[in-house]
Amino acid sequence: MELPPGPIGGQAAWVGADMAQRTDWIETFSATERAEIDAAIAEHKAAGREMGEITPETFRLPTLAPRLTRILGDIQHGRGFALLRGFDVASRPIEDSAIGYLGIGAHLGGFRSQNAKGHLLGHVKDLGLDIRNPKVRYYQTNRELEFHTDSCDIVGLICLKTAKSGGGSRIVSSVAIHDRMLAESPELWRALFNPMPTDRRGEIPPGMLPWFEIPVFNWHKGDLSTIYSGQYIRSAQENFPQARRLTPVEHAALDRLDELAAEMSLEMEFRPGDMQFIHNHQLLHSRTDFEDWPEPERRRHLLRLWLAPRQARELPPVYAQRYGDITPGNRGGIVVKDTVLRFTLEPA
């Protein structure tokens, strides 16, 4: 097991209280860029293309594309996230909003499946499902989400409608958490480099166990990559007696990671049309619980993308358990037996 030689630092090791005083992570579209997006949506529809045919070449953004390349660099090699603001969703049908969002996302990376149903365009919405069902994902409820990563390089969200109250997005630098844990408790820090059984929540690729075992912290070729879902690490302990039992030190390390994530995080409120893109390998994300509107047409609704940039960091071989192929541009996502890749405009 290779370990970092010491604190990592750098632009990625930020603390939420400091980041909250900055605005350089908010990227507002100019009038010219908004017009380009509108024209690209119209061209896509006029050509009769399917959503799956959206690529940087078909969704042309002459002025915005170079800016998106720079933003992608900030996400992958800088602070790890960006908020894109100024896209109008209020006056568009959901199909047009989805096309615009997919078009911008395509300039950042290829689309990856987000669940066993093969959804390439995810819907984050309270569907009134029972979280006690082991196949229900927390994003399908109104409950607070613990800090976690998703199974892809970059995760994107666009806000279509906000909740009556709550539902704030929280992000935190896993690099900063790593450095803090190294400084305050080397024993707990070291425990997070041990492989941890993590529940797949019923989404099991052929030939795989119902859980995967990857360390939370992974040091590989000069990069710290973090993969974490405390809820599913703990549910693996409850649901799978065959999975390795965590030690008291490992449990304490997870508890401390959760505490630091809450303490060091940045919370942002989404406005309709806001697009958030984050680098999963160096950030954890969560959401506060929320109260929704009683009217179905007003209820909180976000669309989600999982993206694989063609140029990306090399991941350690152990990630193949979760990502399948770990080749940049062709990795991440969830594919099980009989999965059919598709786009849908309805939550399901």
Side-chain angles (χ1 to χ4, degrees):
M1 170 64 67
E2 187 179 5
L3 298 175
I8 296 166
Q11 296 180 62
W14 51 265
V15 176
D18 298 330
M19 190 62 72
Q21 305 303 313
R22 296 165 49 179
T23 59
D24 58 322
W25 47 270
I26 301 175
E27 303 275 355
T28 302
F29 296 123
S30 68
T32 298
E33 292 166 340
R34 292 196 299 271
E36 281 186 356
I37 298 168
D38 291 343
I41 294 171
E43 182 182 355
H44 171 88
K45 296 179 71 176
R49 298 190 186 102
E50 300 292 332
M51 289 185 180
E53 297 178 88
I54 294 175
T55 67
E57 292 72 33
T58 66
F59 203 87
R60 291 174 290 181
L61 301 169
T63 302
L64 180 55
R67 187 179 181 193
L68 291 175
T69 298
R70 191 264 301 163
I71 290 170
L72 179 60
D74 292 340
I75 293 169
Q76 291 187 288
H77 309 296
R79 63 181 170 268
F81 72 100
L83 184 74
L84 281 55
R85 176 162 285 167
F87 180 66
D88 176 25
V89 296
S91 64
R92 303 179 195 270
I94 185 173
E95 179 182 8
D96 288 14
S97 294
I99 292 168
Y101 176 48
L102 288 164
I104 290 169
H107 283 267
L108 302 178
F111 310 132
R112 308 303 293 177
S113 171
Q114 299 174 36
N115 53 34
K117 298 176 182 178
H119 290 170
L120 297 167
L121 181 66
H123 293 260
V124 179
K125 193 170 186 178
D126 180 14
L127 302 180
L129 302 178
D130 187 350
I131 198 60
R132 292 173 295 182
N133 182 333
K135 294 187 178 181
V136 168
R137 311 296 292 221
Y138 280 75
Y139 68 82
Q140 298 171 315
T141 74
N142 68 344
R143 285 186 50 172
E144 177 180 3
L145 300 182
E146 295 183 9
F147 283 95
H148 65 283
T149 58
D150 288 348
S151 298
C152 59
D153 293 309
I154 292 175
V155 60
L157 291 170
I158 183 174
C159 177
L160 300 180
K161 295 179 181 178
T162 59
K164 183 177 181 181
S165 64
S169 170
R170 295 187 296 174
I171 58 175
V172 66
S173 165
S174 53
V175 178
I177 292 174
H178 167 277
D179 289 357
R180 175 83 173 267
M181 291 191 72
L182 173 60
E184 73 173 27
S185 179
E187 182 183 27
L188 299 186
W189 165 82
R190 176 60 183 82
L192 294 176
F193 286 89
N194 298 335
M196 303 270 185
T198 304
D199 191 349
R200 294 185 188 271
R201 302 298 282 180
E203 297 175 330
I204 308 169
M208 295 290 188
L209 293 169
W211 67 89
F212 60 88
E213 292 195 31
I214 302 177
V216 174
F217 290 153
N218 298 267
W219 180 250
H220 184 68
K221 296 193 174 180
D223 285 318
L224 179 79
S225 295
T226 299
I227 181 168
Y228 180 63
S229 179
Q231 290 166 322
Y232 299 153
I233 291 175
R234 295 179 178 101
S235 67
Q237 297 291 295
E238 298 168 0
N239 298 330
F240 306 120
Q242 311 95 314
R244 181 181 72 83
R245 300 296 90 183
L246 299 184
T247 68
V249 170
E250 289 169 334
H251 278 292
L254 297 177
D255 291 343
R256 185 56 180 154
L257 187 156
D258 290 338
E259 292 170 355
L260 289 175
E263 175 188 329
M264 301 168 69
S265 64
L266 168 70
E267 181 171 342
M268 62 181 78
E269 293 295 331
F270 286 151
R271 301 176 186 175
D274 282 356
M275 303 180 193
Q276 179 197 71
F277 294 96
I278 67 172
H279 195 208
N280 266 299
H281 305 314
Q282 63 192 69
L283 266 71
L284 310 177
H285 62 279
S286 75
R287 180 197 71 206
T288 63
D289 58 11
F290 62 91
E291 178 186 0
D292 225 335
W293 300 98
E295 302 90 348
E297 68 276 8
R298 298 181 68 187
R299 296 176 73 84
R300 184 181 188 271
H301 191 181
L302 282 70
L303 301 179
R304 184 175 65 187
L305 287 176
W306 283 4
L307 301 171
R310 285 179 280 275
Q311 300 295 325
R313 68 171 56 181
E314 185 174 327
L315 294 176
V318 70
Y319 269 62
Q321 290 182 65
R322 184 57 171 167
Y323 278 54
D325 190 339
I326 57 172
T327 304
N330 189 40
R331 67 189 187 195
I334 296 171
V335 178
V336 302
K337 184 180 179 181
D338 300 325
T339 292
V340 177
L341 301 179
R342 60 195 178 101
F343 295 87
T344 176
L345 295 176
E346 295 294 331

